[in-house]
Amino acid sequence: MPTAGIRFLRHCRPRFVQVYPVTRLYTKRELLQDASAAGFGLLLSSSPGVGNVTLFTPQSPSFNQLRQGFNERIDKYPKVIAVCHNANGVTDAVNYAAKNRLSVAIRSGGHSFEGFSCNNGGLVINLSQLNQIEWLNSTTVRVGPGVTLSHLYDALLPHKRIVPTGSCGGVGIAGLALGGGYGFFSRSYGLTCDSLLDVTMVDSRGVVHRGASEPDLLWACRGGGNGSFGVVTEMVFKTHPAPSSFRSYRFKLGGLDGPKAAHLLENWFTLAAELPRSCFSAFVLNSKGLVILITDFEAPTPQLRRLLERAGSMARSSSTGRPQNLAAALKVYYGRPGPLSFKNSSGGMYRGFDDVRGCAVAMLNLVTSHPGLMYQVNTLGGSIADPGFGAASCFPHRSRPFLSELQSYWSTPAQEANLHKAFRQVQNLLLQNGVTAHYANYPDLEFTDWQHAYYGASYPRLQAIKRRYDPGNLFQHEQSVRA
Ligand SMILES: Cc1cc2nc3c(=O)[nH]c(=O)nc-3n(C[C@H](O)[C@H](O)[C@H](O)COP(=O)(O)OP(=O)(O)OC[C@H]3O[C@@H](n4cnc5c(N)ncnc54)[C@H](O)[C@@H]3O)c2cc1C
């Protein structure tokens, strides 16, 4: 299949290159056929005969599919979608947008909760074809923004290496890392952005920058780089030794109301704070009941066994962790392919149970009485709190070892309206209880002070960086950094 990736292979030393085929939506040939057949697609090229980027307008047959992200609830109509076939195509698309006064949204994996990678009436830069993975040496990889987490695991695990990323296979490495990025390995190796060594970025004037020689830019891209400063066309990551096996322990309990669930949540916070760094845990509550997940990639220590017993005593049923091959174990968490209709957002970044003590019963009453609503708290902490990582990145919430996520899923409009109301009630309870720190990759359009919520004291420096790379606000979405 002729893809941009295969062309890349010819230009690199094969020994170090692994190229992964485009698995999402289109091959380059299909894109070109669609553009020419429709008669509306415009091929832009800086060298004659080579298409760097294909522009799609609403009349193109592929347009509707191309504008659709992972969240089916989001329904935006850009004026133009620019599918870039290489980095020159990104520069061409940026210059085209600037010349035609179109604001730019940037799409890599398309998993933004609030659809920040699409816009109304502007230009969307689609990077799905920039999906190469190249080993620079035995521990460092260069990754295109179109690479998804499952592609990355597929490329790294045979070399017994990992980058600490998230769990869902279809999420884009670019959006995830630029907003922070956490998952099963973060408590040992840090956030995804802490392994980010370099970025290549096209700014609003079409100028290419390197993070390795522009420290402010790299600092901003480690947690605050989503769609605000320019288009990241390449990322270089440090890799880490991959564990040989992985264990998942699940503890379940049904029949819960607010008071019972709040009591269990407090116990879980105490237990989770004592987990070794090789472990991840999640408290997952909905109307059906509670699941406590604990994962580990080391052999269980006596300390962990004691904690597992404590978790078992909180539950009615449990499944104990058989050691599994890492690649197979991770696939269990890849999730559904989508698109899906949902409303998810951060439910706050906490220091501990005290942050939610005042609203836990009322909040969990709402969760347990509304089918489709889900409240989850995940462990962060461990290496994420290392001071070196803090100084090198704009991610401001390292002293908060817990991240909560509020989720809602529906199948009818009536259910959606009911869930929306309950969702807002939970968010209001959290706000009234002083929960104001949130994860930028779990955005909510209704966070009023989102600048402080996502970036804390880093925001003024991010604004200065915005003035340097995008003074005219070409790159924007509803919650992008404003100069
Ligand atoms: C099902 C699901 C599972 C998830 N699991 C996790 C998880 O385990 N851990 C975790 O930390 N997060 C997780 N997330 C959140 C995820 O990190 C964010 O949604 C992330 O921003 C998605 O990145 P993307 O490239 O797929 O999305 P996009 O929608 O393509 O982009 C997201 C944002 O990043 C910007 N952006 C994308 N590419 C670039 C680029 N190349 N240059 C500049 N800006 C860019 C976009 O403008 C947009 O603002 C999950 C989300 C979903 C929907």
Side-chain angles (χ1 to χ4, degrees):
M1 207 160 33
T3 66
I6 288 168
R7 205 140 52 87
F8 184 81
L9 180 63
R10 291 198 200 110
H11 297 152
C12 301
R13 286 185 297 165
R15 191 156 58 95
F16 292 124
V17 178
Q18 286 186 328
V19 178
Y20 292 83
V22 177
T23 56
R24 280 177 303 127
L25 291 180
Y26 297 97
T27 63
K28 185 180 170 192
R29 178 177 288 165
E30 285 167 330
L31 288 166
L32 294 174
Q33 277 169 351
D34 182 334
S36 4
F40 294 103
L42 165 65
L43 287 178
L44 278 182
S45 170
S46 52
S47 42
V50 180
N52 292 326
V53 55
T54 312
L55 299 187
F56 291 83
T57 61
Q59 291 79 6
S60 159
S62 307
F63 188 81
N64 269 336
Q65 238 180 312
L66 282 169
R67 72 182 177 86
Q68 178 66 64
F70 183 76
N71 194 343
E72 217 163 20
R73 175 177 62 87
I74 312 287
D75 194 22
K76 292 182 179 175
Y77 281 85
K79 205 164 186 178
V80 182
I81 298 175
V83 177
C84 300
H85 305 300
N86 51 42
N88 287 337
V90 174
T91 305
D92 289 343
V94 167
N95 290 337
Y96 178 89
K99 194 172 154 208
N100 290 281
R101 298 179 185 280
L102 297 170
S103 64
V104 174
I106 308 161
R107 170 166 297 175
S108 289
H111 273 59
S112 169
F113 281 0
E114 293 286 23
F116 291 161
S117 51
C118 197
N119 60 24
N120 282 313
L123 181 139
V124 172
I125 292 191
N126 180 314
L127 299 164
S128 60
Q129 312 289 295
L130 272 63
N131 63 352
Q132 298 84 9
I133 299 173
E134 180 187 358
W135 285 97
L136 298 178
N137 57 45
S138 58
T139 59
T140 314
V141 283
R142 185 186 291 148
V143 175
V147 168
T148 61
L149 301 190
S150 63
H151 284 147
L152 192 58
Y153 283 127
D154 285 350
L156 301 192
L157 289 180
H159 297 265
K160 301 194 184 333
R161 308 293 296 179
I162 52 163
V163 172
T165 64
S167 48
C168 194
V171 168
I173 183 64
L176 180 115
L178 293 171
Y182 80 96
F184 297 128
F185 309 103
S186 307
R187 286 162 49 77
S188 283
Y189 298 130
L191 297 171
T192 313
C193 67
D194 298 328
S195 293
L196 183 62
L197 302 177
D198 194 6
V199 294
T200 304
M201 188 192 83
V202 178
D203 75 7
S204 59
R205 300 176 188 94
V207 177
V208 177
H209 299 268
R210 293 285 302 277
S213 48
E214 298 178 44
D216 271 2
L217 176 62
L218 192 55
W219 175 87
C221 285
R222 291 181 174 146
N226 293 111
S228 291
F229 310 112
V231 185
V232 171
T233 56
E234 278 181 352
M235 313 174 94
V236 175
F237 288 99
K238 174 184 174 182
T239 66
H240 304 263
S244 53
S245 67
F246 191 85
R247 291 172 163 82
S248 300
Y249 307 86
R250 284 189 182 79
F251 305 91
K252 295 185 184 173
L253 183 61
L256 296 175
D257 57 13
K260 283 184 199 155
H263 176 68
L264 289 162
L265 180 62
E266 181 169 12
N267 286 346
W268 175 82
F269 268 107
T270 314
L271 184 154
E274 295 173 40
L275 286 169
R277 285 186 174 202
S278 56
C279 290
F280 164 87
S281 184
F283 177 98
V284 188
L285 181 75
N286 65 16
S287 65
K288 292 185 185 145
L290 169 68
V291 176
I292 292 175
L293 170 70
I294 298 178
T295 68
D296 192 13
F297 55 82
E298 305 276 4
T301 59
Q303 181 206 4
L304 179 62
R305 285 188 204 285
R306 279 194 296 276
L307 293 171
L308 292 169
E309 267 172 38
R310 258 164 66 188
S313 70
M314 290 159 66
R316 199 156 290 144
S317 71
S318 55
S319 65
T320 46
R322 231 171 5 94
Q324 268 188 297
N325 163 276
L326 182 62
L330 291 176
K331 285 193 171 67
V332 172
Y333 298 95
Y334 276 2
R336 285 195 276 166
L340 301 174
S341 276
F342 64 93
K343 165 74 185 173
N344 292 4
S345 78
S346 166
M349 303 200 61
Y350 314 141
R351 291 201 171 84
F353 183 69
D354 279 350
D355 286 354
V356 291
R357 185 180 296 280
C359 63
V361 171
M363 174 175 75
L364 301 184
N365 259 334
L366 283 162
V367 173
T368 50
S369 60
H370 283 84
L373 197 59
M374 187 185 285
Y375 175 76
Q376 179 167 343
V377 191
N378 306 300
T379 50
L380 297 180
S383 298
I384 295 171
D386 288 354
F389 288 151
S393 80
C394 70
F395 187 85
H397 301 310
R398 292 179 186 274
S399 61
R400 296 174 188 272
F402 299 99
L403 164 62
S404 156
E405 185 183 357
L406 195 56
Q407 308 178 23
S408 57
Y409 304 90
W410 55 84
S411 37
T412 65
Q415 199 193 4
E416 178 182 357
N418 187 31
L419 282 175
H420 181 77
K421 195 170 154 211
F423 195 100
R424 293 280 37 110
Q425 285 173 314
V426 172
Q427 288 292 30
N428 287 338
L429 284 167
L430 287 163
L431 185 62
Q432 284 155 18
N433 210 58
V435 172
T436 54
H438 292 285
Y439 177 33
N441 264 343
Y442 287 175
D444 188 335
L445 279 181
E446 297 193 42
F447 289 148
T448 45
D449 187 12
W450 55 265
Q451 298 89 335
H452 180 258
Y454 303 150
Y455 306 116
S458 296
Y459 193 68
R461 189 170 160 196
L462 289 170
Q463 289 180 290
I465 292 167
K466 174 79 173 175
R467 286 193 284 276
R468 199 178 316 159
Y469 295 101
D470 182 22
N473 202 23
L474 183 74
F475 304 106
Q476 56 174 276
H477 54 73
E478 292 87 335
Q479 293 180 339
S480 54
V481 174
R482 313 279 154 81

